[in-house]
Amino acid sequence: MKKIVSVILTVMLLLSVVSAAELPAFFTDVMTNYTADYSVSMEIENADEIIALLRELEMPKEVENYIDIKAILESIFSTGMKMNLQADMSPDFRIAKLAVTSDTQYEVVVNSNLEIGAKAKLGMWMELNLNAEKPVFRVIYSAPMLNKYMVVDLFELTPDDESKTAMLEYLNLMFSKDFMDSMIAFTSELYKKYSEITMSGTICTVRITNDGLIGMTKELMPFVMEKVAELTSSLENEELREAFNTPEFGEEELAILDGLKLLGENGITYKYSLISGRVSRADMAADISIDIAAMYSSFTGGAEWPYESNGKIDMNAKTAVKLSKYGATAVKFPELTKDNSFNPADSLAMAEEANTVEYVPEYPYFCIWVNTNELPVINGEYYVPFRACLENAYEETVVISYNNGVVTATSENFPGFNTIRLTKDSAVAYTDGKQVAVSKVIIKDGTTYVGRSFFEKIYGWELSSIMHYMLENEYEISFYTESY
């Protein structure tokens, strides 16, 4: 399911990017130097139905004592964003400068007594030059969780000359005019086939229905995967071929797309205003109607939707884009100093140096997790698998043997003793020969179980949690080996 969802999102992204180069003439014209200002807004339409579904999914009633679910949904999805894009690329795409910055204003209504406002800024600047004697692929990031600019140089992060050569080989294939032209030509044909395109004076309108979007997806993704596979297959470096290996989308997975509903009756509409054959403004309106019930049926082979609510998420999304400075855009990069920027490669170098120091693990591990299909309960006490717990905590430093109902475990890392011996159906354990009273030891289906109090009393562990995964019918037990 994750793969299919990622496919849909990728296709919608590709379509939104390609839509600035539409038929008739400007469909296949590649814009290499321009500025674009975006305004994006969204609005959710059926918050009540989403809340009904959440209640059917057994959302705790107490949640609504503190949170106005409808208000928080409507306010989150009404967030607006403004974005600026500057692009300057060579006709062969081997030299490029790009800058994308955005401002987003959040006004989240938690309840009638709490509204939270926040402003988030994002920025990414990319410099690419594959024609230079020393190739460049540098990206600068600015984000709400970053106090400074983060500068990432791909070739600087690549560890050795052989890897740099392999990476350059891949980039030369990916950023090639042949590859880009084939993508644009194929996508343009998809628009002709799956969308309704009309011209009225200087206005070009493109409409895409849900069936059209699904049809585009089913043709575009195999094409993209095939083109990328062609690129990677020609790479000489085997490790790089494996690293960029693309997922396969067979007929069975593509058939699942037929059952998906992502758009409402109005679909997606693009309106392009042209001046001298160039796009001066582009407006997009999307009637998003995600049918979760249909997805459920498609992914489960036709199973019936088990809830009374209709399982839909209905939203409206709008984007307005103004394009300008064709051929006159100079991409502005931030001025970097030692005080306002950092390079993660420096941290990686320090980490590499630290890794040269031999790591000596300490046993037992601070926290352990054990999974089991059986979790016996005797006299109100949970019983956990003895061997699995010790091996999880002490790994190969513990040696466990079984002989005629007697289980013996030995490790130099045990707390205050080296050997512990247990006997089936006995309520006594021996630590280095010293007798200790414990819950009765049981052996079931070849597995030795001890009460949770066994590890608390003898090893000083503290039970953290016991989880039951009903779908897998499996239990997960976790202990802290140190008390806090």
Side-chain angles (χ1 to χ4, degrees):
M1 179 172 179
K2 289 181 179 178
K3 184 185 290 185
I4 295 297
V5 172
S6 66
V7 170
I8 294 294
L9 293 176
T10 302
V11 170
M12 293 184 75
L13 177 60
L14 285 172
L15 294 180
S16 68
V17 173
V18 178
S19 63
E22 293 292 312
L23 292 173
F26 64 94
F27 265 61
T28 53
D29 290 342
V30 180
M31 299 186 298
T32 57
N33 183 285
Y34 66 98
T35 297
D37 289 293
Y38 295 77
S39 178
V40 182
S41 63
M42 295 186 70
E43 180 182 9
I44 194 164
E45 294 186 318
N46 64 335
D48 289 332
E49 293 175 10
I50 296 173
I51 294 170
L53 177 58
L54 291 174
R55 288 170 178 165
E56 280 194 81
L57 292 171
E58 299 183 356
M59 176 184 69
K61 294 180 180 180
E62 291 77 12
V63 169
E64 296 186 70
N65 292 337
Y66 305 95
I67 297 175
D68 186 334
I69 305 296
K70 183 176 181 179
I72 203 169
L73 283 174
E74 291 180 340
S75 60
I76 287 175
F77 284 100
S78 65
T79 297
M81 180 181 72
K82 293 188 179 299
M83 184 173 72
N84 175 266
L85 167 65
Q86 297 174 339
D88 182 17
M89 299 172 284
S90 63
D92 61 2
F93 303 103
R94 295 176 57 80
I95 301 175
K97 289 184 177 181
L98 297 171
V100 181
T101 57
S102 69
D103 287 289
T104 305
Q105 188 72 40
Y106 297 93
E107 294 290 342
V108 181
V109 180
V110 180
N111 54 48
S112 58
N113 298 313
L114 178 61
E115 295 184 21
I116 301 174
K119 185 176 182 179
K121 293 185 177 182
L122 291 169
M124 185 188 77
W125 298 262
M126 187 193 82
E127 181 180 9
L128 172 74
N129 191 338
L130 300 180
N131 291 339
E133 183 177 347
K134 186 178 179 181
V136 176
F137 194 160
R138 185 177 67 136
V139 183
I140 302 170
Y141 296 97
S142 177
M145 299 306 294
L146 293 173
N147 187 44
K148 299 182 178 182
Y149 293 109
M150 182 170 69
V151 184
V152 178
D153 189 316
L154 182 64
F155 289 100
E156 186 177 305
L157 288 173
T158 308
D160 51 59
D161 291 339
E162 182 180 354
S163 299
K164 284 182 171 67
T165 300
M167 183 61 67
L168 180 60
E169 181 189 5
Y170 182 80
L171 293 174
N172 281 332
L173 291 173
M174 183 63 71
F175 290 95
S176 68
K177 184 170 175 55
D178 288 343
F179 178 74
M180 295 296 185
D181 285 348
S182 66
M183 292 294 298
I184 293 169
F186 187 81
T187 306
S188 297
E189 291 301 316
L190 290 181
Y191 272 96
K192 292 180 185 179
K193 184 176 180 180
Y194 290 104
S195 66
E196 177 189 341
I197 303 172
T198 57
M199 286 291 301
S200 177
T202 60
I203 304 296
C204 177
T205 303
V206 180
R207 292 185 175 88
I208 303 173
T209 64
N210 185 77
D211 289 342
L213 178 62
I214 297 301
M216 285 180 168
T217 302
K218 292 181 68 174
E219 290 197 38
L220 182 59
M221 291 315 298
F223 176 79
V224 172
M225 296 301 107
E226 181 181 344
K227 296 298 291 185
V228 174
E230 287 178 9
L231 295 180
T232 55
S233 64
S234 63
L235 293 172
E236 295 182 4
N237 187 284
E238 183 177 352
E239 290 185 5
L240 197 61
R241 285 201 304 271
E242 291 295 326
F244 287 98
N245 187 30
T246 55
E248 295 182 2
F249 296 93
E251 292 183 6
E252 183 177 346
E253 288 179 305
L254 291 174
I256 294 177
L257 299 176
D258 292 329
L260 300 187
K261 190 172 185 302
L262 304 173
L263 300 177
E265 293 182 359
N266 295 324
I268 301 175
T269 300
Y270 298 98
K271 286 190 177 181
Y272 299 95
S273 300
L274 307 179
I275 297 179
S276 300
R278 285 178 170 174
V279 180
S280 63
R281 180 182 175 92
D283 293 282
M284 185 276 292
D287 176 12
I288 301 172
S289 181
I290 302 174
D291 194 333
I292 303 174
M295 286 186 177
Y296 176 85
S297 178
S298 182
F299 289 125
T300 57
E304 186 178 348
W305 176 246
Y307 304 105
E308 292 184 9
S309 53
N310 62 17
K312 288 185 179 180
I313 299 176
D314 293 327
M315 293 184 292
N316 285 320
K318 293 182 179 180
T319 302
V321 188
K322 292 183 179 180
L323 294 103
S324 61
K325 297 184 180 179
Y326 285 101
T329 294
V331 180
K332 296 179 181 178
F333 278 66
E335 294 184 9
L336 302 179
T337 68
K338 289 184 178 180
D339 292 331
N340 73 359
S341 64
F342 72 98
N343 190 332
D346 298 335
S347 300
L348 290 175
M350 294 175 62
E352 261 185 48
E353 185 178 345
N355 285 337
T356 59
V357 180
E358 184 180 357
Y359 170 67
V360 180
E362 294 185 5
Y363 297 105
Y365 287 125
F366 165 71
C367 188
I368 68 164
W369 291 269
V370 172
N371 294 88
T372 177
N373 292 323
E374 294 281 346
L375 189 66
V377 180
I378 300 176
N379 296 327
E381 183 173 15
Y382 289 107
Y383 270 63
V384 297
F386 175 73
R387 176 186 290 272
C389 287
L390 285 186
E391 289 182 346
N392 192 286
Y394 294 97
E395 291 191 323
E396 68 275 1
T397 68
V398 63
V399 177
I400 303 173
S401 62
Y402 175 82
N403 184 21
N404 196 27
V406 177
V407 181
T408 305
T410 302
S411 175
E412 295 181 354
N413 295 301
F414 285 165
F417 60 93
N418 293 326
T419 300
I420 185 167
R421 181 165 53 87
L422 313 175
T423 303
K424 177 183 177 182
D425 295 329
S426 173
V428 175
Y430 294 89
T431 57
D432 287 346
K434 180 181 177 181
Q435 181 175 303
V436 182
V438 295
S439 302
K440 186 174 71 170
V441 178
I442 66 171
I443 297 179
K444 184 178 180 181
D445 298 329
T447 300
T448 301
Y449 293 89
V450 296
R452 53 165 282 191
S453 61
F454 174 91
F455 286 109
E456 294 173 346
K457 184 174 184 179
I458 294 181
Y459 287 88
W461 296 0
E462 180 181 326
L463 181 68
S464 172
S465 66
I466 296 177
M467 304 286 291
H468 182 205
Y469 299 102
M470 297 180 67
L471 293 178
E472 296 87 356
N473 193 27
E474 186 176 74
Y475 298 89
E476 181 185 87
I477 306 105
S478 62
F479 284 95
Y480 290 117
T481 61
E482 297 182 26
S483 297
Y484 285 90

